[in-house]
């Protein structure tokens, strides 16, 4: 099986329902400030909430001129305060950049403030380039990537209402908890793009998400590894996973392609090691000619993105969800905006969610 998304016939109307969710990197366009980009994402989260999307996650990336999603815990607090029902979470917190105790304390407080609405997605990647990774190691409290499996279990114990027991050097036991009196706990998910994270999630009996939107290679195989190796835990009796997917949906396929082009060009620059600037507008991207090597990367990404008008887009999403045996799809709305769009809004991204919701929810 390939992870590309072939053209498929539009299926007959079905009563089957997919849960839809959103992953937001909070892109910063060339016409936006950071404040504008955050305001646009607040608007997008509110609309996702109104439309019935299941969850809204933000990522962790550092020192990228086109990405404002640097601190998931802060952003989750902002977004949860501006929504009513939808689950808000991290996709994810890059654990090697943080102290496990601090992560547990942050998400215990978020869960206390917004009970039943907080997801803690944990990843092992740095979310940055080697220079930033080195700076984080020398400028603050971080954790050893090699200790990731133990730290995941530590966070789960710290978030538990009973807390964790820490053995001191003198042999005495010391009770440690992320918050004094928790009545609910954030859902913890393991995220990854390799066999390591899939096998760890299976062994710990935790929910798992493979980063199909980023990798796109080996999705079915790695999700299969997770399912086949899953060991039931106190918190999860059966495997739990969903699909992440880059999408650009508009009234016409041509409009969807035009709105996706800025992000496709940006990803081609990233994957070829070129400097990144703010996300181009639709007009700026249309006027840009990429070097052949970068254009080849764009062409390969087109096979894994869903870029289409709403009926065909929904059919493609259903096909891939059925193939992977999932009932939830988390979309990354990779659409830019026009030069004259209000910088505090993201109208094409909002419209993409509306069109998908009309077809799938």
């Amino acid at each position: 099986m390939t992870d590309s998304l072939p053209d498929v016939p539009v299926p007959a109307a079905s009563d089957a329902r997919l849960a839809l969710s959103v992953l937001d990197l909070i892109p910063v366009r060339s016409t936006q400030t950071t404040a504008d980009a955050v305001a646009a994402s607040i608007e997008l989260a509110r609309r996702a909430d109104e439309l019935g999307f299941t969850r809204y996650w933000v990522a962790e990336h550092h020192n990228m001129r086109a990405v404002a999603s640097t601190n998931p815990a802060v952003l989750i607090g902002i977004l949860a305060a501006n929504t009513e029902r939808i689950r808000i979470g991290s996709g994810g917190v890059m654990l090697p950049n943080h102290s496990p105790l601090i992560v547990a304390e942050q998400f215990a407080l978020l869960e206390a403030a917004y009970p039943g609405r907080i997801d803690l997605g944990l990843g092992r990647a740095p979310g940055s380039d080697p220079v930033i990774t080195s700076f984080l190691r020398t400028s603050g409290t971080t954790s050893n990537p090699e200790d990731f499996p133990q730290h995941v279990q530590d966070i789960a114990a710290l978030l538990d209402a009973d807390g964790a027991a820490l053995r001191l050097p003198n042999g005495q036991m010391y009770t440690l908890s992320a918050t004094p009196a928790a009545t609910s706990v954030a859902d913890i998910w393991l995220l990854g793009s390799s066999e390591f994270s899939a096998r760890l999630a299976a062994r710990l009996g935790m929910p798992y998400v493979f980063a199909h939107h980023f990798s796109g290679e080996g999705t079915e195989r790695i999700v299969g590894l997770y399912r086949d190796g899953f060991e039931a835990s106190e918190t999860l009796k059966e495997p739990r996973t969903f699909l992440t997917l880059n999408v650009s949906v508009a009234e016409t396929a041509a409009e969807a392609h035009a709105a996706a082009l800025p992000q496709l060009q940006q990803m081609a620059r990233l994957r070829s090691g070129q400097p990144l600037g703010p996300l181009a507008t639709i007009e700026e991207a249309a006027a840009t000619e990429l070097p052949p090597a970068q254009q080849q990367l764009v062409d390969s990404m087109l096979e894994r993105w869903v870029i289409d008008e709403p009926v065909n887009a929904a059919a493609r999403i259903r096909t891939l969800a059925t193939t992977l045996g999932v009932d939830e799809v988390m979309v990354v709305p990779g659409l830019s905006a026009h030069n004259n769009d209000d910088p505090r809004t993201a109208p094409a991204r909002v419209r993409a969610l509306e069109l998908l919701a009309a077809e799938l929810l």
Side-chain angles (χ1 to χ4, degrees), residues 260-335:
L261 187 58
Q263 185 61 43
L264 290 165
Q265 292 178 346
Q266 189 82 313
M267 291 301 298
R269 294 186 189 98
L270 175 66
R271 293 182 178 181
S272 58
Q274 299 303 305
L276 301 181
L279 183 68
T281 63
I282 293 171
E283 289 82 2
E284 289 168 343
T288 298
E289 183 174 349
L290 294 180
Q294 291 182 18
Q295 185 59 51
Q296 187 175 6
L297 288 170
V298 168
D299 294 341
S300 68
M301 284 185 282
L302 287 172
E303 298 177 0
R304 295 191 290 271
W305 282 50
V306 171
I307 304 176
D308 217 326
E309 53 80 30
V311 174
N312 280 334
R316 290 172 178 232
I317 290 171
R318 283 192 184 281
T319 296
L320 192 54
T322 300
T323 299
L324 293 175
V326 299
D327 58 10
E328 180 177 344
V329 175
M330 176 171 279
V331 299
V332 185
L335 302 90

Side-chain angles (χ1 to χ4, degrees), residues 1 5-6 8-20 243 245 247 306 310-329 331 355-361:
M1 177 249 180
L5 298 171
V8 294
V10 178
S14 170
D15 291 332
R17 298 289 179 181
L18 268 182
L20 288 179
L243 172 69
L245 189 61
V247 304
V306 171
V311 174
N312 280 334
R316 290 172 178 232
I317 290 171
R318 283 192 184 281
T319 296
L320 192 54
T322 300
T323 299
L324 293 175
V326 299
D327 58 10
E328 180 177 344
V329 175
V331 299
L355 294 171
L356 284 174
E359 294 295 328
L360 294 169
L361 293 182

Side-chain angles (χ1 to χ4, degrees), residues 69 80 88 109 124 156 158 194 214 233 247 250 301 306 339-340 345:
S69 185
I88 309 292
L109 284 174
R124 192 169 64 111
L158 289 165
S194 68
F214 179 78
S233 64
V247 304
M301 284 185 282
V306 171
N339 284 338
N340 60 354
T345 68

